[in-house]
Amino acid sequence: MKKSVIMGIAAVLVGLFSIGQVANAADNWPKGKKITSIVPWKAGGSADTMARQLIKYWEPLLDTNIIVSNREGAATLLGTELFLKQPKDGSNIYIGTQMYMSAGIVLQDAKFSMDDFSVINFQQFDPATIAVHEESKHKTLQDLIDDIKARPGQVKCGLVYGGAPHLAVVALKEKLGLDYKDVTYDSGNGYRTALLGKHVDFVASNANGDRAIKGKARVLAVADTQRSSIWPDAPTFNEVLKINDFPRLGSARFIATHKEFKTKYPERFKKLVDTYKQAFENPEYVKLRETNGADSVSAYHGPEASDRMNKELHDLLVRYKDRINAAK
């Protein structure tokens, strides 16, 4: 009897010790386990810059290293598909851009869906723009529109297929019956380089991303409800067209995990969210965003609101699907 009692007590102690070890391991995650941040763009772009600057303040809170892995190609499709093949245990996070992620689903028949992702935060909403070289003869958006009408099919627009800037110029084309030539690139760096080299006449771009070419290029208009603080002299599309129903369009850059990770490891997901929020609100990081202009397009929304924003932009692309494909 005494022996069985002793064995029973020992078993309980072993069980408690094991539970303590598991709890401690959960509390310490991801200490000692690196996290890979998959950015489906080349290094140096807007999403890549956002990720690298954020990670500097996020790593210490997680007590681990976050490695940036740039996997560009097919307007984010290659990097997105690679992310979804990785272990769904929190060892990988995704730096996404809408509407490029949705474009993979809606326009390129990708084998994934919106339900495969859980968004930590939609960090940036960067309004779509139309920009020209600083030496361009087009001083206003109306100048550009007049030139396109005078030379149908000859004026060239640089863009990334399927994104919010692409949708903005498609909406403009539809409203005004314009005929210009699309020249597609894999990244914002690609079409901005083409613009500076005068290989295209204008680009469908983003307000904050265009800061990289400020002084060498001019923004003619922004697809937002108000003027951008980054380009205060550039009117909105509604101002130029004298309407009030041009859609608010922009690149939304966000941080996400696998949906399965959030479901299977809710404590880990919460830790990522909580530490992300602390990093985002770090005074040094806020100051950095203010210095580089990103603060004007950045905000903390949280997972639930961010998932809703994700779906809203996705639904907008679904609505314009046929028009985007017709312009291809």
Side-chain angles (χ1 to χ4, degrees):
M1 179 67 70
K2 290 182 179 179
K3 184 177 180 180
S4 61
V5 170
I6 291 172
M7 291 178 66
I9 292 172
V12 170
L13 291 174
V14 169
L16 291 174
F17 178 73
S18 299
I19 292 172
Q21 281 190 314
V22 171
N24 187 55
D27 290 341
N28 287 337
W29 181 89
K31 184 177 181 179
K33 299 180 183 295
K34 73 174 183 178
I35 294 175
T36 298
S37 171
I38 295 180
V39 180
W41 299 104
K42 292 180 180 179
S46 301
D48 178 72
T49 299
M50 182 191 79
R52 291 177 187 274
Q53 291 180 347
L54 168 68
I55 283 169
K56 177 182 176 181
Y57 300 94
W58 200 2
E59 283 181 321
L61 298 170
L62 290 169
D63 195 17
T64 192
N65 292 325
I66 302 177
I67 310 301
V68 176
S69 177
N70 296 94
R71 299 303 182 98
E72 73 278 1
T76 79
L77 184 60
L78 296 184
T80 304
E81 290 180 334
L82 174 67
F83 165 75
L84 290 170
K85 293 176 182 177
Q86 303 310 303
K88 299 171 178 59
D89 57 1
S91 58
N92 294 272
I93 58 177
Y94 176 70
I95 309 299
T97 306
Q98 279 288 35
M99 298 180 204
Y100 295 115
M101 186 178 79
S102 288
I105 301 168
V106 178
L107 304 176
Q108 297 172 277
D109 298 321
K111 304 304 180 184
F112 56 83
S113 74
M114 300 293 288
D115 292 335
D116 292 323
F117 302 86
S118 284
V119 182
I120 293 174
N121 191 43
F122 255 56
Q123 181 163 323
Q124 295 182 352
F125 182 83
D126 193 354
T129 63
I130 284 182
V132 296
H133 194 285
E134 180 64 27
E135 298 174 356
S136 171
K137 64 182 180 181
H138 307 120
K139 304 304 179 184
T140 67
L141 179 58
Q142 191 60 53
D143 288 343
L144 177 61
I145 291 170
D146 291 342
D147 189 29
I148 293 172
K149 289 181 175 180
R151 298 189 295 136
Q154 297 181 53
V155 179
K156 293 182 287 186
C157 172
L159 52 79
V160 176
Y161 175 73
H166 186 187
L167 185 53
V169 291
V170 164
L172 183 68
K173 175 184 287 189
E174 180 186 60
K175 282 186 175 294
L176 302 179
L178 302 179
D179 179 14
Y180 57 82
K181 182 178 180 181
D182 288 337
V183 182
T184 59
Y185 298 86
D186 282 338
S187 69
N189 279 348
Y191 64 65
R192 290 188 185 101
T193 299
L195 181 68
L196 296 183
K198 300 182 180 180
H199 303 301
V200 294
D201 299 290
F202 70 103
V203 294
S205 192
N206 297 99
N208 193 50
D210 289 339
R211 286 173 60 90
I213 54 176
K214 204 165 190 176
K216 300 177 182 178
R218 283 180 285 109
V219 169
L220 300 183
V222 294
D224 207 345
T225 54
Q226 58 187 8
R227 294 193 180 200
S228 166
S229 60
I230 304 171
W231 302 92
D233 294 332
T236 66
F237 280 73
N238 283 321
E239 286 180 78
V240 176
L241 302 178
K242 295 179 172 56
I243 58 175
N244 58 15
D245 62 346
F246 197 89
R248 184 174 187 252
L249 294 164
S251 293
R253 304 180 187 104
F254 62 91
I255 296 88
T257 68
H258 299 94
K259 187 65 171 282
E260 187 176 323
F261 166 69
K262 180 182 179 181
T263 302
K264 190 173 181 179
Y265 301 97
E267 297 86 2
R268 291 184 181 184
F269 182 78
K270 184 177 185 302
K271 187 168 186 177
L272 282 183
V273 172
D274 291 346
T275 53
Y276 165 85
K277 187 173 186 291
Q278 292 176 55
F280 182 82
E281 295 174 348
N282 184 307
E284 292 185 10
Y285 183 45
V286 172
K287 185 176 181 179
L288 176 61
R289 294 200 309 268
E290 290 173 346
T291 299
N292 62 28
D295 204 49
S296 63
V297 298
S298 301
Y300 179 78
H301 303 282
E304 291 184 7
S306 295
D307 275 330
R308 285 197 300 272
M309 294 170 69
N310 197 20
K311 187 176 185 305
E312 287 169 3
L313 288 173
H314 179 81
D315 290 345
L316 187 59
L317 184 61
V318 170
R319 196 175 94 196
Y320 278 90
K321 174 184 177 180
D322 292 341
R323 300 169 198 176
I324 285 277
N325 283 328
K328 190 174 181 181

